[in-house]
Amino acid sequence: MTALLTNEALYQKSPEEITALLYEAALTNLENAIEHNERQEFIEANDKLKKANDIIYRLGAGLNYEAGIIADQLDQLYNYLADQIIEANYKKDNSKIREVIKVIESLMTAWNEAMKQKKDPQSSAVKQKAKAYESTSIYE
């Protein structure tokens, strides 16, 4: 992110916008880590990679598992990315960081496109049926 957000501005963001900002921040940290590795500034690179990993963790923690299989798949992908970042940090391997960047760029592009569309894939009829079912179901 090029500009820091104030707490007030951050609280005014929707969850979708915050997710987009997290993707952007992860990319920025990963790109900075590559630059630091190339200059053999390994402590700074380590800090950037730890921040990127923290962001990936937060993205995973924010998943809504009621969304179905896509949430499970994203969880697995986030775990894979976190593992790759740790390995890249340990080995000072910029190619692994670039691999993570490609995946996050793809996710960010898809996320931003979905935000532009802002269409709910479920029809109102399906939602009404689900609400009717939930209101008559007995939960144990």
Side-chain angles (χ1 to χ4, degrees), residues 45-109:
N46 177 58
D47 287 341
K48 297 299 181 183
L49 291 171
K50 287 192 312 187
K51 286 179 183 177
N53 221 1
D54 184 46
I55 291 167
I56 299 297
Y57 171 77
R58 290 172 191 272
L59 286 165
L63 289 172
N64 176 2
Y65 289 96
E66 294 176 8
I69 192 163
I70 189 74
D72 292 327
Q73 291 172 336
L74 275 172
D75 185 45
Q76 290 175 358
L77 182 57
Y78 290 150
N79 287 334
Y80 169 78
L81 294 174
D83 289 344
Q84 293 302 300
I85 292 170
I86 291 168
E87 188 173 336
N89 196 7
Y90 179 73
K91 294 180 178 180
K92 309 301 178 216
D93 186 349
N94 283 345
S95 65
K96 285 208 177 287
I97 299 171
R98 286 185 186 94
E99 177 188 334
V100 172
I101 287 172
K102 283 182 185 178
V103 174
I104 293 175
E105 284 175 338
S106 296
L107 287 169
M108 187 171 79
T109 300

Side-chain angles (χ1 to χ4, degrees), residues 91-140:
K91 294 180 178 180
K92 309 301 178 216
D93 186 349
N94 283 345
S95 65
K96 285 208 177 287
I97 299 171
R98 286 185 186 94
E99 177 188 334
V100 172
I101 287 172
K102 283 182 185 178
V103 174
I104 293 175
E105 284 175 338
S106 296
L107 287 169
M108 187 171 79
T109 300
W111 186 261
N112 289 335
E113 189 60 34
M115 281 186 9
K116 285 180 194 173
Q117 306 260 331
K118 285 200 174 189
K119 290 185 180 177
D120 196 339
Q122 284 188 331
S123 68
S124 59
V126 171
K127 286 182 184 178
Q128 287 176 342
K129 286 180 184 178
K131 284 181 184 176
Y133 174 78
E134 288 174 357
S135 65
T136 59
S137 295
I138 298 174
Y139 295 100
E140 294 182 67

